[in-house]
Amino acid sequence: MILGVGTDLANIDRIAATLARFGDRFRTRVFTDAEIARAEARREVAATYAKRWAAKEACSKALGTGLRMGIAWRDMAVTNLPTGQPVMAVTGWAAERLAAMTPPGHRAVIHVTLTDDHPWAQAFVVIEAVPTA
């Protein structure tokens, strides 16, 4: 069963300007160390950050809260499987919210997809409840 759906569209040029203006202050407020390492190792640094920004926004929408009610940017993190497939992990209040919205006898699975086509980066998140038995 679907518990939540979220999408977001981010402007890569706006993220690039924010990176140029605020640098590490922006990076460390919004992104985890793993996300920063991944983005800084890429050729398209701003696009990588923009996709992850959009994923965090989309995830917060799928959780039904947006970025309010205690969810912090770093409570949501995008990593990649060895195949390159993006995955979303939640901690802190985001994990608490996810647990609260997951029905008994189910486990939550967060599906995420990312794309970019300059100047846009987009993310789509679906939270699914899968029976444990």
Side-chain angles (χ1 to χ4, degrees), residues 29-79:
R29 178 174 169 250
V30 176
F31 303 100
T32 65
D33 292 343
E35 288 174 312
I36 293 169
R38 171 89 176 182
E40 295 299 324
R42 304 289 295 204
R43 187 171 40 110
E44 299 294 333
V45 173
T48 303
Y49 280 120
K51 286 185 280 191
R52 278 150 178 74
W53 171 280
K56 291 167 186 269
E57 287 274 7
C59 184
S60 71
K61 292 171 185 175
L63 289 167
T65 63
L67 285 163
R68 58 186 178 95
M69 297 177 59
I71 292 181
W73 287 105
R74 291 174 54 103
D75 285 348
M76 300 165 286
V78 178
T79 59

Side-chain angles (χ1 to χ4, degrees), residues 65-110:
T65 63
L67 285 163
R68 58 186 178 95
M69 297 177 59
I71 292 181
W73 287 105
R74 291 174 54 103
D75 285 348
M76 300 165 286
V78 178
T79 59
N80 295 83
L81 297 176
T83 61
Q85 177 185 347
V87 292
M88 176 72 69
V90 293
T91 59
W93 201 93
E96 292 174 22
R97 171 70 181 148
L98 182 60
M101 63 191 285
T102 304
H106 292 75
R107 65 179 175 86
V109 177
I110 303 174

Side-chain angles (χ1 to χ4, degrees), residues 6-30:
T7 188
D8 193 65
L9 186 65
N11 185 285
I12 296 168
D13 294 332
R14 188 185 74 146
I15 297 297
T18 302
L19 287 164
R21 182 172 179 194
F22 297 106
D24 284 339
R25 192 169 128 207
F26 170 67
R27 283 180 192 87
T28 58
R29 178 174 169 250
V30 176

